């Protein structure tokens, strides 16, 4: 198996190609993310961070270039294969938690595992373990509306990791939180990532948080450059 969990090569993305409102967002972006490495992606709003993360997470396709997950070229794989790889290997975290409001914290972490054919008992045990890692054992039976913003986001992290992905993609995961909460939540996220040996690509505007990751990359004119 490849040492690279994620490789992007010559990735281009143009929206509305050939139309007057054409936007060239990525223009030959490349990066290699080895196993266990945590990389910050820092760039101003509108520079293509979300576009890059969606392409890396097989939620979108590039206009040109190659996306490899665990060494396997996924660029031209069938929709079924891309969906299966995404479910098995990728955890995605957004700025907003997107938890299901009618379910408790622990249920929100159990459900994706049931969809992945894990037994109810094993799913519950893993969900409780993950909640303990982010310090939320006492909130397991709370619904999202009964949790603070920082707690909701920590539950969302647990859900993203529920099925043991190899790659975590996070799109401004603390962007919606006040600075103090952002700090606690980021520490919880890093704890989870280090505990599980995940590779992570984390878009953030927060340079202080970026400095706590292994490496920083920037997006400049559609190209990935060292930070
Ligand atoms: P970031 O996450 O860094 O703020 P995005 O990847 O969201 O940047 O967007 C990069 C650029 O691409 C922006 O100019 C945005 O308006 C444009 N863009 C994003 N998605 C689309 C889309 N679906 N159609 C057209 N333009 C888009
Ligand atoms: Mg964005």
């Amino acid at each position: 198996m490849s040492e690279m969990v994620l490789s992007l090569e010559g990735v281009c993305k143009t929206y509305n190609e050939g139309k007057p409102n054409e936007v060239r967002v990525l223009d030959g972006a490349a990066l290699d993310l080895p196993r266990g490495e945590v990389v910050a992606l820092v760039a101003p709003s509108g520079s293509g961070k979300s576009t890059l993360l969606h392409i890396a997470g097989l939620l979108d396709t590039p206009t040109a270039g190659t996306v490899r997950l665990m060494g396997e070229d996924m660029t031209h794989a069938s929709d079924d294969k891309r969906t299966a790889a995404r479910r098995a290997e990728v955890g995605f975290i957004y700025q907003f938690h997107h938890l299901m409001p009618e379910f408790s914290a622990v249920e929100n972490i159990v459900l994706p595992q049931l969809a992945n054919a894990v037994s109810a008992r094993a799913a519950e045990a893993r969900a409780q373990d993950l909640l303990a890692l982010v310090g939320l054992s006492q909130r397991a039976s709370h619904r999202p509306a009964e949790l603070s913003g920082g707690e909701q986001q920590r539950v969302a992290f647990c859900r993203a990791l529920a099925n043991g992905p190899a790659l975590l993609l996070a799109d401004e995961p603390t962007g919606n939180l006040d600075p103090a909460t952002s700090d606690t939540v980021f520490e919880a996220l890093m704890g989870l990532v280090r505990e599980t040996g995940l590779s992570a690509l984390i878009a953030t505007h927060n340079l202080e948080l970026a400095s706590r990751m292994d490496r920083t990359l920037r997006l400049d004119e559609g190209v990935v450059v060292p930070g």
Side-chain angles (χ1 to χ4, degrees):
M1 195 189 291
S2 163
E3 282 302 297
M4 293 305 161
V5 170
L6 169 69
S7 291
L8 303 182
E9 224 178 87
V11 167
C12 299
K13 183 69 178 183
T14 303
Y15 292 112
N16 307 317
E17 197 162 26
K19 301 198 182 124
N21 57 349
E22 177 176 293
V23 197
R24 181 173 296 197
V25 181
L26 300 176
D27 195 13
L31 67 85
D32 281 321
L33 187 60
R35 193 170 289 280
E37 194 178 37
V38 180
V39 173
L41 183 63
V42 179
S45 191
S47 52
K49 300 182 299 298
S50 297
T51 300
L52 184 100
L53 290 172
H54 286 137
I55 289 172
L58 310 182
L59 294 164
D60 198 359
T61 48
T63 314
T66 305
V67 180
R68 286 195 190 82
L69 268 188
M70 325 299 288
E72 191 169 353
D73 187 348
M74 286 293 165
T75 327
H76 306 289
S78 67
D79 283 350
D80 282 355
K81 190 166 179 191
R82 287 165 58 87
T83 301
R86 187 168 66 237
R87 283 215 184 107
E89 304 296 356
V90 183
F92 219 109
I93 298 172
Y94 299 90
Q95 193 167 344
F96 297 96
H97 59 80
H98 298 300
L99 295 170
M100 290 187 281
E102 66 275 37
F103 293 103
S104 69
V106 72
E107 287 166 345
N108 266 280
I109 306 166
V110 162
L111 287 169
Q113 299 180 74
L114 299 184
N116 202 32
V118 175
S119 75
R121 179 190 290 239
E124 164 90 19
R126 174 153 176 88
Q128 295 289 1
D129 285 349
L130 287 166
L131 282 170
L133 282 172
V134 297
L136 285 180
S137 295
Q138 305 306 316
R139 298 287 184 276
S141 60
H142 288 226
R143 291 186 183 191
E146 302 161 346
L147 298 169
S148 72
E151 289 168 345
Q152 290 166 346
Q153 200 60 329
R154 280 185 275 161
V155 175
F157 297 168
C158 295
R159 181 190 49 185
L161 302 197
N163 285 323
L167 172 64
L168 177 70
L169 299 170
D171 198 353
E172 304 188 38
T174 65
N176 192 32
L177 304 170
D178 63 75
T181 307
S182 167
D183 201 73
T184 319
V185 164
F186 180 77
E187 279 307 313
L189 177 61
M190 288 300 278
L192 274 181
V193 166
R194 299 301 190 194
E195 186 72 26
T196 53
L198 265 176
S199 307
L201 184 60
I202 303 177
T204 180
H205 286 295
N206 187 324
L207 294 175
E208 199 278 317
L209 296 187
S211 73
R212 291 196 243 161
M213 300 185 216
D214 298 327
R215 179 159 68 108
T216 297
L217 296 174
R218 292 188 301 115
L219 265 175
D220 186 23
E221 305 279 322
V223 179
V224 178
V225 295

